[in-house]
Amino acid sequence: MQATARLSEYQDWITITFLLCFGLLVLARVAFPQRFEEFISLLNSGKFIAFKGKENKAFHGFNIILFSVQAIAVSLFIFLGYRYFFETDLHSIVLFIRILTGYTCLILLKAGVEKIIGNIFDIDERIDYYIFQKLSYRNFISIFLLFACLFLVYSMEVTGLSLRIIALTAVLANAFSMFIIYRRNQSALSVNWFYFILYICALEIAPYIILYKLITI
């Protein structure tokens, strides 16, 4: 009976979290119908990146709504993985909020650093376009991650294999999107592979290691 009670508590707040994400997606669809239609075709069309990116509005209302979905979806997946692989005395929702807060602060801090770099080297417009592309691709990937979490929670038992497969798929998709962004912006930003890989290590990999350390404190 005790185990059943904990499961009920776990499912209650996580169901509300899923409903919140789907509510945000509906809001994005209703408030920005044209943007949403172009966004969902991102996988087979570069129209959204090509046309909306010219506005240099990485933090447009549409992107902010989808970033909220991204933050929740990624944090939820990290939460499921952490609960499976590690023991913790933290209450489930406290752990999730801690992960969500850390991830959100991490992404915003990275964007701030990139904006500062753009300002220092007088390439603000190019950096804004770069942030827009990266945010758009990751928002797109996070929707699939959200449905993967939905599948894990309600359709099957969470296993190490399923978590690893989903994580590997998300990492590969993100790596592929970064490759596309690099190829699209190589001439504009005048960077080579060495500096691009250095950037990946400094601002794309290291912060997640820091996030993991903060969660495990």
Side-chain angles (χ1 to χ4, degrees), residues 6-19 22 72-73 75-81 83-84 92 96 144-159 162-163 166:
R6 285 200 298 267
L7 179 61
S8 176
E9 171 271 324
Y10 173 84
Q11 297 284 17
D12 286 344
W13 72 262
I14 208 170
T15 299
I16 296 174
T17 301
F18 280 122
L19 290 175
F22 291 129
I72 295 173
S75 299
L76 186 57
F77 180 75
I78 294 174
F79 165 80
L80 293 175
R83 290 274 296 185
Y84 180 83
S92 294
F96 173 75
F144 289 95
L145 194 59
L146 177 66
F147 283 98
C149 290
L150 186 69
F151 182 73
L152 285 174
V153 172
Y154 297 108
S155 299
M156 64 177 292
E157 182 181 355
V158 177
T159 64
S162 61
L163 288 169
I166 294 171

Side-chain angles (χ1 to χ4, degrees), residues 166-182:
I166 294 171
L168 180 61
T169 302
V171 169
L172 290 176
N174 183 63
F176 182 69
S177 69
M178 291 299 294
F179 174 75
I180 293 175
I181 293 172
Y182 168 78

Side-chain angles (χ1 to χ4, degrees), residues 85-176:
F85 290 108
F86 303 100
E87 293 183 1
T88 177
D89 295 329
L90 289 175
H91 191 279
S92 294
I93 194 169
V94 173
L95 176 61
F96 173 75
I97 292 174
R98 191 170 179 176
I99 295 172
L100 177 62
T101 303
Y103 180 80
T104 303
C105 293
L106 173 67
I107 297 302
L108 294 178
L109 181 61
K110 285 171 56 184
V113 171
E114 289 164 346
K115 291 283 288 183
I116 291 172
I117 293 174
N119 184 262
I120 291 174
F121 292 99
D122 197 24
I123 52 172
D124 296 89
E125 291 187 2
R126 295 173 182 175
I127 288 295
D128 285 343
Y129 183 48
Y130 167 74
I131 294 175
F132 169 79
Q133 294 175 85
K134 187 170 63 171
L135 183 62
S136 297
Y137 282 117
R138 290 182 179 176
N139 286 342
F140 188 81
I141 294 170
S142 69
I143 293 178
F144 289 95
L145 194 59
L146 177 66
F147 283 98
C149 290
L150 186 69
F151 182 73
L152 285 174
V153 172
Y154 297 108
S155 299
M156 64 177 292
E157 182 181 355
V158 177
T159 64
L161 178 61
S162 61
L163 288 169
R164 289 184 178 94
I165 291 174
I166 294 171
L168 180 61
T169 302
V171 169
L172 290 176
N174 183 63
F176 182 69

